PDB file of all heavy atoms in Angstrom:
ATOM      1  N   LEU A  10      -0.664  -3.330   9.552  1.00 86.00           N
ATOM      2  CA  LEU A  10      -1.244  -4.696   9.618  1.00 86.00           C
ATOM      3  C   LEU A  10      -0.874  -5.475   8.245  1.00 86.00           C
ATOM      4  O   LEU A  10      -0.581  -6.639   8.310  1.00 86.00           O
ATOM      5  CB  LEU A  10      -2.771  -4.631   9.794  1.00 86.00           C
ATOM      6  CG  LEU A  10      -3.283  -4.113  11.078  1.00 86.00           C
ATOM      7  CD1 LEU A  10      -4.792  -3.932  11.018  1.00 86.00           C
ATOM      8  CD2 LEU A  10      -2.919  -5.064  12.215  1.00 86.00           C
ATOM      9  N   ASP A  11      -0.915  -4.745   7.292  1.00 83.00           N
ATOM     10  CA  ASP A  11      -0.593  -5.271   5.869  1.00 83.00           C
ATOM     11  C   ASP A  11       0.937  -5.686   5.839  1.00 83.00           C
ATOM     12  O   ASP A  11       1.305  -6.741   5.411  1.00 83.00           O
ATOM     13  CB  ASP A  11      -0.802  -4.224   4.861  1.00 83.00           C
ATOM     14  CG  ASP A  11      -0.698  -4.881   3.415  1.00 83.00           C
ATOM     15  OD1 ASP A  11      -0.834  -6.050   3.190  1.00 83.00           O
ATOM     16  OD2 ASP A  11      -0.162  -4.023   2.461  1.00 83.00           O
ATOM     17  N   LYS A  12       1.773  -4.801   6.436  1.00 82.00           N
ATOM     18  CA  LYS A  12       3.256  -5.003   6.484  1.00 82.00           C
ATOM     19  C   LYS A  12       3.589  -6.245   7.340  1.00 82.00           C
ATOM     20  O   LYS A  12       4.494  -6.940   6.979  1.00 82.00           O
ATOM     21  CB  LYS A  12       3.895  -3.727   6.981  1.00 82.00           C
ATOM     22  CG  LYS A  12       5.402  -3.681   6.697  1.00 82.00           C
ATOM     23  CD  LYS A  12       5.939  -2.334   7.172  1.00 82.00           C
ATOM     24  CE  LYS A  12       7.372  -2.188   6.964  1.00 82.00           C
ATOM     25  NZ  LYS A  12       7.730  -2.008   5.510  1.00 82.00           N
ATOM     26  N   ALA A  13       2.727  -6.423   8.380  1.00 80.00           N
ATOM     27  CA  ALA A  13       3.011  -7.571   9.214  1.00 80.00           C
ATOM     28  C   ALA A  13       2.460  -8.845   8.749  1.00 80.00           C
ATOM     29  O   ALA A  13       2.575  -9.915   9.475  1.00 80.00           O
ATOM     30  CB  ALA A  13       2.402  -7.266  10.688  1.00 80.00           C
ATOM     31  N   GLY A  14       1.789  -8.832   7.617  1.00 74.00           N
ATOM     32  CA  GLY A  14       1.106 -10.088   7.107  1.00 74.00           C
ATOM     33  C   GLY A  14      -0.145 -10.454   7.777  1.00 74.00           C
ATOM     34  O   GLY A  14      -0.394 -11.667   7.972  1.00 74.00           O
ATOM     35  N   TRP A  15      -0.965  -9.536   8.276  1.00 73.00           N
ATOM     36  CA  TRP A  15      -2.257  -9.845   8.991  1.00 73.00           C
ATOM     37  C   TRP A  15      -3.094 -10.720   8.044  1.00 73.00           C
ATOM     38  O   TRP A  15      -3.281 -10.401   6.816  1.00 73.00           O
ATOM     39  CB  TRP A  15      -2.900  -8.682   9.381  1.00 73.00           C
ATOM     40  CG  TRP A  15      -4.155  -8.809  10.099  1.00 73.00           C
ATOM     41  CD1 TRP A  15      -4.268  -9.649  11.277  1.00 73.00           C
ATOM     42  CD2 TRP A  15      -5.431  -8.074  10.015  1.00 73.00           C
ATOM     43  NE1 TRP A  15      -5.623  -9.569  11.754  1.00 73.00           N
ATOM     44  CE2 TRP A  15      -6.254  -8.712  10.964  1.00 73.00           C
ATOM     45  CE3 TRP A  15      -5.870  -7.132   9.067  1.00 73.00           C
ATOM     46  CZ2 TRP A  15      -7.601  -8.223  11.100  1.00 73.00           C
ATOM     47  CZ3 TRP A  15      -7.230  -6.801   9.143  1.00 73.00           C
ATOM     48  CH2 TRP A  15      -8.081  -7.247  10.185  1.00 73.00           C
ATOM     49  N   ALA A  16      -3.564 -11.855   8.571  1.00 64.00           N
ATOM     50  CA  ALA A  16      -4.128 -12.926   7.640  1.00 64.00           C
ATOM     51  C   ALA A  16      -5.283 -12.413   6.717  1.00 64.00           C
ATOM     52  O   ALA A  16      -5.215 -12.790   5.547  1.00 64.00           O
ATOM     53  CB  ALA A  16      -4.740 -13.933   8.492  1.00 64.00           C
ATOM     54  N   PRO A  17      -6.229 -11.515   7.188  1.00 67.00           N
ATOM     55  CA  PRO A  17      -7.302 -11.047   6.215  1.00 67.00           C
ATOM     56  C   PRO A  17      -6.698 -10.314   5.005  1.00 67.00           C
ATOM     57  O   PRO A  17      -7.337 -10.315   3.961  1.00 67.00           O
ATOM     58  CB  PRO A  17      -8.138 -10.184   7.070  1.00 67.00           C
ATOM     59  CG  PRO A  17      -7.913 -10.669   8.491  1.00 67.00           C
ATOM     60  CD  PRO A  17      -6.543 -11.108   8.528  1.00 67.00           C
ATOM     61  N   LEU A  18      -5.399  -9.787   5.113  1.00 61.00           N
ATOM     62  CA  LEU A  18      -4.939  -9.005   4.030  1.00 61.00           C
ATOM     63  C   LEU A  18      -3.894  -9.880   3.205  1.00 61.00           C
ATOM     64  O   LEU A  18      -3.408  -9.434   2.162  1.00 61.00           O
ATOM     65  CB  LEU A  18      -4.190  -7.770   4.594  1.00 61.00           C
ATOM     66  CG  LEU A  18      -5.017  -6.698   5.176  1.00 61.00           C
ATOM     67  CD1 LEU A  18      -4.193  -5.563   5.820  1.00 61.00           C
ATOM     68  CD2 LEU A  18      -6.092  -6.155   4.209  1.00 61.00           C
ATOM     69  N   GLY A  19      -3.608 -11.005   3.837  1.00 59.00           N
ATOM     70  CA  GLY A  19      -2.700 -11.982   3.113  1.00 59.00           C
ATOM     71  C   GLY A  19      -1.266 -11.739   3.407  1.00 59.00           C
ATOM     72  O   GLY A  19      -0.921 -10.639   3.989  1.00 59.00           O
ATOM     73  N   VAL A  20      -0.391 -12.679   3.290  1.00 56.00           N
ATOM     74  CA  VAL A  20       0.940 -12.673   3.659  1.00 56.00           C
ATOM     75  C   VAL A  20       1.905 -12.595   2.530  1.00 56.00           C
ATOM     76  O   VAL A  20       3.134 -12.402   2.755  1.00 56.00           O
ATOM     77  CB  VAL A  20       1.331 -13.818   4.653  1.00 56.00           C
ATOM     78  CG1 VAL A  20       0.442 -13.658   5.917  1.00 56.00           C
ATOM     79  CG2 VAL A  20       1.095 -15.093   4.001  1.00 56.00           C
ATOM     80  N   GLU A  21       1.443 -12.725   1.282  1.00 56.00           N
ATOM     81  CA  GLU A  21       2.354 -12.922   0.176  1.00 56.00           C
ATOM     82  C   GLU A  21       2.894 -11.547  -0.375  1.00 56.00           C
ATOM     83  O   GLU A  21       3.854 -11.493  -0.832  1.00 56.00           O
ATOM     84  CB  GLU A  21       1.666 -13.743  -0.921  1.00 56.00           C
ATOM     85  CG  GLU A  21       1.235 -15.172  -0.546  1.00 56.00           C
ATOM     86  CD  GLU A  21       2.502 -15.943  -0.088  1.00 56.00           C
ATOM     87  OE1 GLU A  21       3.555 -15.785  -0.743  1.00 56.00           O
ATOM     88  OE2 GLU A  21       2.338 -16.780   0.636  1.00 56.00           O
ATOM     89  N   GLU A  22       2.020 -10.568  -0.299  1.00 59.00           N
ATOM     90  CA  GLU A  22       2.351  -9.255  -0.844  1.00 59.00           C
ATOM     91  C   GLU A  22       1.622  -8.126  -0.068  1.00 59.00           C
ATOM     92  O   GLU A  22       0.717  -8.312   0.589  1.00 59.00           O
ATOM     93  CB  GLU A  22       1.920  -9.192  -2.330  1.00 59.00           C
ATOM     94  CG  GLU A  22       0.463  -9.498  -2.544  1.00 59.00           C
ATOM     95  CD  GLU A  22      -0.001  -9.305  -3.968  1.00 59.00           C
ATOM     96  OE1 GLU A  22       0.863  -8.819  -4.770  1.00 59.00           O
ATOM     97  OE2 GLU A  22      -1.166  -9.796  -4.199  1.00 59.00           O
ATOM     98  N   THR A  23       2.123  -6.955  -0.232  1.00 63.00           N
ATOM     99  CA  THR A  23       1.516  -5.803   0.352  1.00 63.00           C
ATOM    100  C   THR A  23       0.444  -5.194  -0.600  1.00 63.00           C
ATOM    101  O   THR A  23       0.457  -5.523  -1.799  1.00 63.00           O
ATOM    102  CB  THR A  23       2.578  -4.724   0.684  1.00 63.00           C
ATOM    103  OG1 THR A  23       3.255  -4.349  -0.435  1.00 63.00           O
ATOM    104  CG2 THR A  23       3.478  -5.183   1.686  1.00 63.00           C
ATOM    105  N   HIS A  24      -0.406  -4.318  -0.161  1.00 68.00           N
ATOM    106  CA  HIS A  24      -1.531  -3.850  -0.822  1.00 68.00           C
ATOM    107  C   HIS A  24      -1.607  -2.378  -0.801  1.00 68.00           C
ATOM    108  O   HIS A  24      -2.498  -1.815  -0.207  1.00 68.00           O
ATOM    109  CB  HIS A  24      -2.832  -4.456  -0.358  1.00 68.00           C
ATOM    110  CG  HIS A  24      -2.811  -5.974  -0.281  1.00 68.00           C
ATOM    111  ND1 HIS A  24      -2.146  -6.666   0.669  1.00 68.00           N
ATOM    112  CD2 HIS A  24      -3.338  -6.878  -1.105  1.00 68.00           C
ATOM    113  CE1 HIS A  24      -2.377  -7.986   0.543  1.00 68.00           C
ATOM    114  NE2 HIS A  24      -3.022  -8.124  -0.622  1.00 68.00           N
ATOM    115  N   PRO A  25      -0.637  -1.691  -1.419  1.00 76.00           N
ATOM    116  CA  PRO A  25      -0.669  -0.156  -1.346  1.00 76.00           C
ATOM    117  C   PRO A  25      -1.817   0.468  -1.985  1.00 76.00           C
ATOM    118  O   PRO A  25      -2.423   1.528  -1.551  1.00 76.00           O
ATOM    119  CB  PRO A  25       0.672   0.228  -2.155  1.00 76.00           C
ATOM    120  CG  PRO A  25       1.006  -0.952  -2.963  1.00 76.00           C
ATOM    121  CD  PRO A  25       0.515  -2.155  -2.244  1.00 76.00           C
ATOM    122  N   ILE A  26      -2.392  -0.212  -3.057  1.00 80.00           N
ATOM    123  CA  ILE A  26      -3.627   0.373  -3.739  1.00 80.00           C
ATOM    124  C   ILE A  26      -4.826   0.286  -2.775  1.00 80.00           C
ATOM    125  O   ILE A  26      -5.678   1.186  -2.614  1.00 80.00           O
ATOM    126  CB  ILE A  26      -3.901  -0.332  -4.978  1.00 80.00           C
ATOM    127  CG1 ILE A  26      -2.766  -0.171  -6.049  1.00 80.00           C
ATOM    128  CG2 ILE A  26      -5.307  -0.011  -5.599  1.00 80.00           C
ATOM    129  CD1 ILE A  26      -2.966  -0.929  -7.284  1.00 80.00           C
ATOM    130  N   LEU A  27      -4.977  -0.808  -1.992  1.00 79.00           N
ATOM    131  CA  LEU A  27      -6.047  -0.996  -1.060  1.00 79.00           C
ATOM    132  C   LEU A  27      -5.947   0.117   0.006  1.00 79.00           C
ATOM    133  O   LEU A  27      -6.964   0.713   0.379  1.00 79.00           O
ATOM    134  CB  LEU A  27      -5.951  -2.426  -0.446  1.00 79.00           C
ATOM    135  CG  LEU A  27      -6.945  -2.621   0.792  1.00 79.00           C
ATOM    136  CD1 LEU A  27      -8.360  -2.504   0.257  1.00 79.00           C
ATOM    137  CD2 LEU A  27      -6.696  -3.982   1.411  1.00 79.00           C
ATOM    138  N   ILE A  28      -4.770   0.299   0.543  1.00 81.00           N
ATOM    139  CA  ILE A  28      -4.545   1.370   1.529  1.00 81.00           C
ATOM    140  C   ILE A  28      -4.886   2.667   1.079  1.00 81.00           C
ATOM    141  O   ILE A  28      -5.548   3.522   1.741  1.00 81.00           O
ATOM    142  CB  ILE A  28      -3.171   1.271   2.071  1.00 81.00           C
ATOM    143  CG1 ILE A  28      -2.791  -0.029   2.764  1.00 81.00           C
ATOM    144  CG2 ILE A  28      -2.852   2.407   3.002  1.00 81.00           C
ATOM    145  CD1 ILE A  28      -1.450  -0.397   3.048  1.00 81.00           C
ATOM    146  N   GLY A  29      -4.459   3.077  -0.236  1.00 84.00           N
ATOM    147  CA  GLY A  29      -4.821   4.277  -0.810  1.00 84.00           C
ATOM    148  C   GLY A  29      -6.282   4.461  -0.979  1.00 84.00           C
ATOM    149  O   GLY A  29      -6.858   5.540  -0.722  1.00 84.00           O
ATOM    150  N   VAL A  30      -6.964   3.455  -1.352  1.00 87.00           N
ATOM    151  CA  VAL A  30      -8.410   3.436  -1.565  1.00 87.00           C
ATOM    152  C   VAL A  30      -9.093   3.712  -0.230  1.00 87.00           C
ATOM    153  O   VAL A  30     -10.060   4.535  -0.173  1.00 87.00           O
ATOM    154  CB  VAL A  30      -8.983   2.156  -2.211  1.00 87.00           C
ATOM    155  CG1 VAL A  30     -10.563   2.114  -2.152  1.00 87.00           C
ATOM    156  CG2 VAL A  30      -8.549   1.999  -3.654  1.00 87.00           C
ATOM    157  N   ILE A  31      -8.688   3.022   0.871  1.00 86.00           N
ATOM    158  CA  ILE A  31      -9.216   3.295   2.183  1.00 86.00           C
ATOM    159  C   ILE A  31      -9.032   4.728   2.561  1.00 86.00           C
ATOM    160  O   ILE A  31      -9.971   5.313   3.102  1.00 86.00           O
ATOM    161  CB  ILE A  31      -8.571   2.422   3.294  1.00 86.00           C
ATOM    162  CG1 ILE A  31      -8.948   0.933   3.032  1.00 86.00           C
ATOM    163  CG2 ILE A  31      -8.855   2.799   4.644  1.00 86.00           C
ATOM    164  CD1 ILE A  31      -8.176  -0.079   3.872  1.00 86.00           C
ATOM    165  N   GLY A  32      -7.892   5.302   2.277  1.00 85.00           N
ATOM    166  CA  GLY A  32      -7.604   6.778   2.559  1.00 85.00           C
ATOM    167  C   GLY A  32      -8.611   7.679   1.801  1.00 85.00           C
ATOM    168  O   GLY A  32      -9.201   8.589   2.394  1.00 85.00           O
ATOM    169  N   LEU A  33      -8.808   7.409   0.568  1.00 88.00           N
ATOM    170  CA  LEU A  33      -9.740   8.199  -0.304  1.00 88.00           C
ATOM    171  C   LEU A  33     -11.214   8.022   0.213  1.00 88.00           C
ATOM    172  O   LEU A  33     -11.814   9.028   0.301  1.00 88.00           O
ATOM    173  CB  LEU A  33      -9.614   7.787  -1.764  1.00 88.00           C
ATOM    174  CG  LEU A  33      -8.340   8.124  -2.523  1.00 88.00           C
ATOM    175  CD1 LEU A  33      -8.366   7.561  -3.880  1.00 88.00           C
ATOM    176  CD2 LEU A  33      -8.215   9.688  -2.596  1.00 88.00           C
ATOM    177  N   ILE A  34     -11.557   6.862   0.531  1.00 88.00           N
ATOM    178  CA  ILE A  34     -12.952   6.672   1.115  1.00 88.00           C
ATOM    179  C   ILE A  34     -13.118   7.418   2.271  1.00 88.00           C
ATOM    180  O   ILE A  34     -14.213   8.038   2.590  1.00 88.00           O
ATOM    181  CB  ILE A  34     -13.237   5.140   1.296  1.00 88.00           C
ATOM    182  CG1 ILE A  34     -13.244   4.410  -0.034  1.00 88.00           C
ATOM    183  CG2 ILE A  34     -14.494   4.887   2.072  1.00 88.00           C
ATOM    184  CD1 ILE A  34     -13.332   2.940   0.037  1.00 88.00           C
ATOM    185  N   MET A  35     -12.108   7.360   3.268  1.00 86.00           N
ATOM    186  CA  MET A  35     -12.199   8.101   4.491  1.00 86.00           C
ATOM    187  C   MET A  35     -12.249   9.656   4.282  1.00 86.00           C
ATOM    188  O   MET A  35     -12.987  10.332   5.016  1.00 86.00           O
ATOM    189  CB  MET A  35     -11.063   7.718   5.450  1.00 86.00           C
ATOM    190  CG  MET A  35     -11.178   6.307   6.021  1.00 86.00           C
ATOM    191  SD  MET A  35     -10.186   6.083   7.435  1.00 86.00           S
ATOM    192  CE  MET A  35     -10.984   7.275   8.567  1.00 86.00           C
ATOM    193  N   VAL A  36     -11.503  10.096   3.210  1.00 85.00           N
ATOM    194  CA  VAL A  36     -11.484  11.560   2.993  1.00 85.00           C
ATOM    195  C   VAL A  36     -12.865  12.017   2.715  1.00 85.00           C
ATOM    196  O   VAL A  36     -13.337  13.121   3.101  1.00 85.00           O
ATOM    197  CB  VAL A  36     -10.468  11.874   1.852  1.00 85.00           C
ATOM    198  CG1 VAL A  36     -10.780  13.316   1.341  1.00 85.00           C
ATOM    199  CG2 VAL A  36      -9.103  11.821   2.341  1.00 85.00           C
ATOM    200  N   VAL A  37     -13.631  11.153   1.969  1.00 85.00           N
ATOM    201  CA  VAL A  37     -15.011  11.508   1.679  1.00 85.00           C
ATOM    202  C   VAL A  37     -15.944  11.157   2.861  1.00 85.00           C
ATOM    203  O   VAL A  37     -16.909  11.994   3.064  1.00 85.00           O
ATOM    204  CB  VAL A  37     -15.408  10.655   0.283  1.00 85.00           C
ATOM    205  CG1 VAL A  37     -16.890  10.936   0.030  1.00 85.00           C
ATOM    206  CG2 VAL A  37     -14.575  11.032  -0.818  1.00 85.00           C
ATOM    207  N   LEU A  38     -15.855  10.085   3.447  1.00 84.00           N
ATOM    208  CA  LEU A  38     -16.825   9.609   4.382  1.00 84.00           C
ATOM    209  C   LEU A  38     -16.657  10.278   5.758  1.00 84.00           C
ATOM    210  O   LEU A  38     -17.700  10.538   6.347  1.00 84.00           O
ATOM    211  CB  LEU A  38     -16.722   8.121   4.674  1.00 84.00           C
ATOM    212  CG  LEU A  38     -17.250   7.185   3.550  1.00 84.00           C
ATOM    213  CD1 LEU A  38     -17.130   5.741   3.982  1.00 84.00           C
ATOM    214  CD2 LEU A  38     -18.636   7.534   3.285  1.00 84.00           C
ATOM    215  N   VAL A  39     -15.533  10.681   6.099  1.00 81.00           N
ATOM    216  CA  VAL A  39     -15.339  11.273   7.454  1.00 81.00           C
ATOM    217  C   VAL A  39     -16.187  12.561   7.664  1.00 81.00           C
ATOM    218  O   VAL A  39     -16.952  12.684   8.544  1.00 81.00           O
ATOM    219  CB  VAL A  39     -13.933  11.560   7.856  1.00 81.00           C
ATOM    220  CG1 VAL A  39     -13.651  12.459   9.049  1.00 81.00           C
ATOM    221  CG2 VAL A  39     -13.184  10.225   8.109  1.00 81.00           C
ATOM    222  N   PRO A  40     -15.993  13.569   6.623  1.00 83.00           N
ATOM    223  CA  PRO A  40     -16.868  14.790   6.793  1.00 83.00           C
ATOM    224  C   PRO A  40     -18.365  14.447   6.668  1.00 83.00           C
ATOM    225  O   PRO A  40     -19.198  15.120   7.299  1.00 83.00           O
ATOM    226  CB  PRO A  40     -16.456  15.713   5.561  1.00 83.00           C
ATOM    227  CG  PRO A  40     -14.990  15.123   5.217  1.00 83.00           C
ATOM    228  CD  PRO A  40     -15.079  13.677   5.521  1.00 83.00           C
TER     229      PRO A  40
END
């Protein structure tokens, strides 16, 4: 969604840090 420029994430740049944070949060939250 980020790579495709989905509006809530913005179209000017990608957000690898945001995606990494989402991954870390899920690693903690899923269990």
